[in-house]
Amino acid sequence: MRAVRFAALAAALALTGCASSGSAPGNSSEESHWYNPLSYHWSALNPFSWFGGTLKVTEQGVAGLNQSTPMNQSAIAAALSSDYQLRQGMRTEQGQVVDFWQALNDGEVKLVISGKSQVERIDVLDRKAESSSGSKIGDRFSDTFHQAFGNCQKAAGIDARDIACQAPGSQHIFYVYSGDWHGPVALMPSDDTLKTWKLSKIVWQR
């Protein structure tokens, strides 16, 4: 029995070592990023935390994260039930410094949590996640919207080439769509172009 426990711990350490060497998806070259390699939440070593359920994005927040969650490691880890490794970072965005936490699983960034003293925004990148209405990353624009007018606007910051659309009937959930567009960055693509764009992230915003 002792040998089995040792083998499980060794496997957990090996998996976490691989995850810690992963990198976040590429961002705009106009922004700089800094990550704290010592800020991982090591309770993710627990093998039983590797098999969490599907993330749900609702009006109240994501998993246990909401506008009342303090922007610190222990509070975020508790809200996520230790299913993720946490990595702290900073970036410059439009001349301002933005603090954020990344939640990683298997070396991939699944959530980006940002805010000042409390959580203000959660970018959901996990392809298994879904909104309260059932929308998932990879869905086409035309699955939810017929037109951009009245629903969408050009996204900002690292998503400047994408569009952000408010989820129907929601005050806090936004869908970010990405796709091919060869026109000026400042212009909204036509509805005919947008219909094939795909949902690249689900955003909860305070």
Side-chain angles (χ1 to χ4, degrees):
M1 185 67 178
R2 184 176 299 173
V4 172
R5 290 178 178 174
F6 178 79
L9 179 59
L13 286 169
L15 181 59
T16 305
C18 293
S20 64
S21 64
S23 59
N27 291 315
S28 171
S29 59
E30 297 179 357
E31 299 183 348
S32 58
H33 294 72
W34 170 86
Y35 302 107
N36 180 0
L38 300 179
S39 64
Y40 281 98
H41 185 76
W42 294 107
S43 63
L45 285 173
N46 180 3
F48 296 102
S49 72
W50 300 341
F51 306 101
T54 300
L55 275 177
K56 287 282 189 180
V57 185
T58 69
E59 286 296 282
Q60 290 69 44
V62 181
L65 294 169
N66 55 53
Q67 61 184 5
S68 300
T69 306
M71 275 291 292
N72 61 62
Q73 180 172 328
S74 59
I76 293 173
L80 293 175
S81 304
S82 302
D83 288 337
Y84 303 88
Q85 294 170 320
L86 297 179
R87 180 169 66 183
Q88 188 178 22
M90 299 171 64
R91 68 172 178 261
T92 57
E93 186 173 303
Q94 298 180 341
Q96 301 294 318
V97 176
V98 178
D99 295 317
F100 63 88
W101 286 89
Q102 292 179 330
L104 299 92
N105 188 290
D106 290 337
E108 296 183 357
V109 177
K110 303 295 186 179
L111 301 170
V112 179
I113 304 139
S114 54
K116 295 180 180 178
S117 59
Q118 295 173 305
V119 172
E120 297 177 4
R121 175 179 168 126
I122 306 166
D123 290 35
V124 180
L125 307 172
D126 190 339
R127 297 188 66 84
K128 295 180 181 179
E130 62 180 44
S131 69
S132 52
S133 62
S135 293
K136 295 182 178 181
I137 290 175
D139 287 357
R140 290 175 179 265
F141 175 87
S142 58
D143 292 336
T144 304
F145 301 99
H146 296 296
Q147 62 180 17
F149 181 76
N151 299 306
C152 312
Q153 60 185 0
K154 290 291 295 182
I158 61 176
D159 303 316
R161 295 199 63 86
D162 304 329
I163 65 165
C165 307
Q166 191 157 13
S170 172
Q171 294 183 342
H172 300 282
I173 301 173
F174 294 82
Y175 300 147
V176 176
Y177 291 91
S178 305
D180 292 330
W181 168 240
H182 303 293
V185 174
L187 292 183
M188 178 79 74
S190 68
D191 291 332
D192 190 55
T193 296
L194 289 175
K195 67 183 181 182
T196 60
W197 280 31
K198 293 186 177 180
L199 181 58
S200 57
K201 68 168 70 171
I202 302 172
V203 176
W204 178 89
Q205 194 158 328
R206 186 174 179 176

